[in-house]
Amino acid sequence: MLFTRVSAALAAFATYANAFDVNSNANYASYYGQNSAKNQKSLGEYCRDAIEDVIILAFMNGFPNILLNFASACETTFEGSTLLSCPTMAKDIQYCQLQGKAVILSMGGASGAYGFTSDSEATSFADTMWNTFFKGSTDQRPFGDAVLDGVDLDIEGGGSTGYPAFIKQLRTHYASDSSKSYYITSAPQCPFPDAYLGPTLDNAWFDMVYVQFYNNYCGLNAYPSAFNFGDWDNWAKTKSVNKDVKIYIGAPGSPTAASSGYVDGAALKAIYDDISSNYSSLGGIMTWDISQSRTSGIATEIRAALGAGEAGKGVPIEHDNSEVSSEEPTSSTTSSTTSIEDPNEPTSSAPPNDINAFEQLPPDASESSSNSPAEPINGSSERTNDTSGGCPVDGASCSGSQQGCNGQKFALCANGKWSLIPCAPGTTCTINNSGVVCDWPNGSTTDTCAVTGGGSLRKRLGYTE
C-alpha cells in the first residue's frame, strides 16, 4: 500500500527534512481548517516553509459517529455517506510530513455531537480511529493512505466518560507500529483544572498540552499577575501520567482571533523567554489559527522568537512519481462557503472560553439597526430576547443556544436543558460584549443571574462565514 512507500520516502529524505522533536521547548503548533481569517490557503501551502512544527487539523466534530469539518478545505464525501473524502488534503498531509512536520487531527471543537457513553464504546472507537486515520485499514479513509501523527482532544462539551480508555487503547495501537512516533495532545482552557478535560488529563497519557491562554482571566493579557502557567507546570510535574509532558503557551493568532488575550509578537516573546527560563515543562507556542497568525504576521515573529524551526529545514523536497506525489502542494486559497455552523444560525452550546472566541450577531429586526456590541446583561437590564425569566437552573428547560450565569457557575443550553458548570475558584460568571465568561469579580457582584437569548451571541470566530 502507499503508506509503506511513504515510510520508505521519509527514511530516504531524512537528511533533507528534520523530523519534529517532541522534547524541544521551542516548537510552534497551529490549528488549520476553520479559515477564521477567511483567506485560508491549502494545507500544503503552509508546509512550504519551516514556520510551524505541528499542524492540527480542526475538527472531527462528531464521534463515535464520525463527522469531519475542515470548512472549504474539503467538501466532498464518499458516495452514499456523510464522511468526507479529502484526496487533496491527503497529498498535502504527506507533503507536510515529508517536510518533517507532525500533522494531528483534533477531536471535538466548539460545536458538534460528540462524546462517549462508556469505556467500552471509547475503546471500540479507538480501533475505528486506528483503522480510519492511522495504520489500520477500512473501506473509507478520508485521507486515503496518509497516516496521521496523532490526535488532539479539544473537548468543550459533554462529560469525561471514556476518554482515558480511548487514549489507552489508541496508544496500544501506536505501540504496534515502531516505524514512526505518534502523539496524544489536548487543548484545555487556562483556568485550572479544565472543566471538561481535567479528569482525563489526570488519568491518561498526553505528550503535548496546548493551554488556551486567552478568552479568560488567566490569559496572556493578564501576564504576569493572573497568568497561571505555573499551575500547569506543577500539574505536569506532579499529576500528569507522563511526567515529561510539554505545555504550550496558547495564543490568539491576531487581535480578531479571540475576544481577549492577544498580545503582539514582542510581548509574546518576552513572556515566552520568561517562562522558558523558569519552567522546564514548556514545549513552545500554539496559535489559533494558522490563517490568522499568517495573515497578521505573528507566525513569523513566533518562529524568530523560538529559533530556526526543525521541521522543513534543508533542501526543499521534490516528490517522486513512484512515491507520494509528483504534484506541488495545492496553491488555491480556500473559499469560505462551508463551515461547521451556518452563519445565519445561532451558535451551538459550548463553553465560552475556548479556542474560538465569540462574535456579535448583526441586530435582528426587533433590535436597533446599530452595529454596536450587545449590552452586558446584569440584574434588571435584560435584553428583549431573554427567554428564561430568571436564573438558569441545572436541568431546567431552555431553548436554542442560550447561555447564562448563576453566580459562580456559567450555564449552557444543551439539548433543551440547562447545564451549569462551575467557574474556576475565585472567579465569577459575567456576561460582557464577548459573551459569557468567568472572570475575577473586581469589586462587581458575585451573584449575577442573567441569560442571553438565542440571538444575542453569534458563532465563534474561527469558523468561516
Side-chain angles (χ1 to χ4, degrees):
M1 295 185 64
L2 184 56
F3 63 68
T4 59
R5 299 199 298 273
V6 171
S7 297
L10 282 168
F13 286 120
T15 58
Y16 297 97
N18 295 328
F20 164 69
D21 178 10
V22 70
N23 296 312
S24 171
N25 72 342
N27 283 319
Y28 178 26
S30 196
Y31 282 78
Y32 170 88
Q34 288 305 307
N35 194 13
S36 68
K38 302 178 179 63
N39 61 357
Q40 177 175 275
K41 298 177 181 179
S42 69
L43 176 61
E45 280 294 303
Y46 293 117
C47 293
R48 287 180 178 270
D49 54 43
I51 292 182
E52 292 84 14
D53 301 290
V54 184
I55 296 179
I56 308 131
L57 306 179
F59 289 105
M60 176 191 286
N61 64 316
F63 60 85
N65 297 317
I66 295 178
L67 179 64
L68 300 169
N69 187 291
F70 306 114
S72 52
C74 177
E75 298 179 295
T76 59
T77 61
F78 290 100
E79 185 176 356
S81 171
T82 58
L83 183 64
L84 289 180
S85 174
C86 310
T88 299
M89 284 186 69
K91 292 178 182 178
D92 286 352
I93 288 168
Q94 293 169 327
Y95 176 80
C96 294
Q97 290 171 326
L98 288 177
Q99 296 285 29
K101 301 177 189 289
V103 183
I104 292 170
L105 177 61
S106 185
M107 299 169 57
S111 66
Y114 58 80
F116 302 117
T117 59
S118 66
D119 284 355
S120 60
E121 182 180 57
T123 298
S124 177
F125 186 67
D127 298 335
T128 299
M129 285 291 290
W130 180 253
N131 290 330
T132 307
F133 298 101
F134 297 97
K135 279 289 188 72
S137 62
T138 188
D139 291 338
Q140 295 182 338
R141 288 174 57 96
F143 302 131
D145 287 324
V147 177
L148 294 176
D149 297 298
V151 297
D152 171 63
L153 296 183
D154 178 22
I155 306 306
E156 305 178 16
S160 60
T161 300
Y163 291 108
F166 167 78
I167 293 170
K168 180 180 179 180
Q169 179 67 4
L170 189 58
R171 293 191 72 242
T172 298
H173 287 297
Y174 284 2
S176 71
D177 178 24
S178 61
S179 68
K180 62 179 292 183
S181 297
Y182 295 98
Y183 307 104
I184 304 289
T185 73
S186 66
Q189 299 167 40
C190 60
F192 185 87
D194 182 83
Y196 290 117
L197 280 169
T200 303
L201 287 167
D202 286 347
N203 292 284
W205 179 281
F206 287 91
D207 297 286
M208 295 169 275
V209 175
Y210 314 121
V211 181
Q212 300 172 45
F213 288 106
Y214 45 93
N215 295 339
N216 225 309
Y217 69 90
C218 41
L220 289 163
N221 57 319
Y223 174 87
S225 59
F227 186 70
N228 67 337
F229 192 96
D231 292 341
W232 290 96
D233 177 78
N234 181 65
W235 167 83
K237 295 171 180 175
T238 63
K239 286 190 175 182
S240 175
V241 174
N242 173 19
K243 296 301 188 290
D244 294 319
V245 64
K246 289 297 183 179
I247 310 298
Y248 284 57
I249 301 170
S254 77
T256 60
S259 62
S260 67
Y262 176 78
V263 296
D264 63 23
L268 184 57
K269 180 183 185 303
I271 294 171
Y272 169 82
D273 289 344
D274 179 40
I275 298 302
S276 180
S277 64
N278 288 286
Y279 299 103
S280 60
S281 67
L282 179 65
I285 294 172
M286 173 276 284
T287 53
W288 175 268
D289 69 348
I290 199 168
S291 66
Q292 294 273 7
S293 59
R294 289 296 191 107
T295 301
S296 71
I298 199 171
T300 55
E301 294 182 81
I302 290 171
R303 183 73 276 162
L306 297 175
E310 291 300 315
K313 287 199 305 187
V315 179
I317 294 174
E318 296 292 338
H319 292 167
D320 183 86
N321 286 333
S322 64
E323 300 296 343
V324 178
S325 170
S326 61
E327 300 177 10
E328 285 295 309
T330 51
S331 59
S332 61
T333 299
T334 57
S335 66
S336 56
T337 57
T338 302
S339 65
I340 289 177
E341 301 172 51
D342 183 334
N344 296 316
E345 294 293 332
T347 183
S348 299
S349 298
N353 307 314
D354 63 349
I355 279 182
N356 308 303
F358 287 115
E359 184 180 11
Q360 285 300 128
L361 272 175
D364 55 37
S366 65
E367 298 183 284
S368 166
S369 60
S370 169
N371 289 323
S372 62
E375 293 294 325
I377 305 167
N378 200 331
S380 61
S381 57
E382 299 183 25
R383 289 176 61 94
T384 57
N385 59 3
D386 286 359
T387 59
S388 71
C391 263
V393 177
D394 200 37
S397 297
C398 55
S399 62
S401 58
Q402 286 184 297
Q403 303 179 38
C405 292
N406 188 333
Q408 293 176 306
K409 296 181 180 180
F410 63 92
L412 308 171
C413 186
N415 300 317
K417 300 290 184 183
W418 282 117
S419 176
L420 266 61
I421 302 162
C423 290
T427 65
T428 189
C429 181
T430 61
I431 299 180
N432 60 24
N433 292 343
S434 302
V436 177
V437 298
C438 292
D439 203 349
W440 297 113
N442 293 322
S444 62
T445 178
T446 59
D447 59 353
T448 299
C449 180
V451 172
T452 67
S456 64
L457 294 176
R458 194 179 193 181
K459 64 184 180 63
R460 295 170 179 236
L461 290 171
Y463 294 135
T464 60
E465 295 192 37

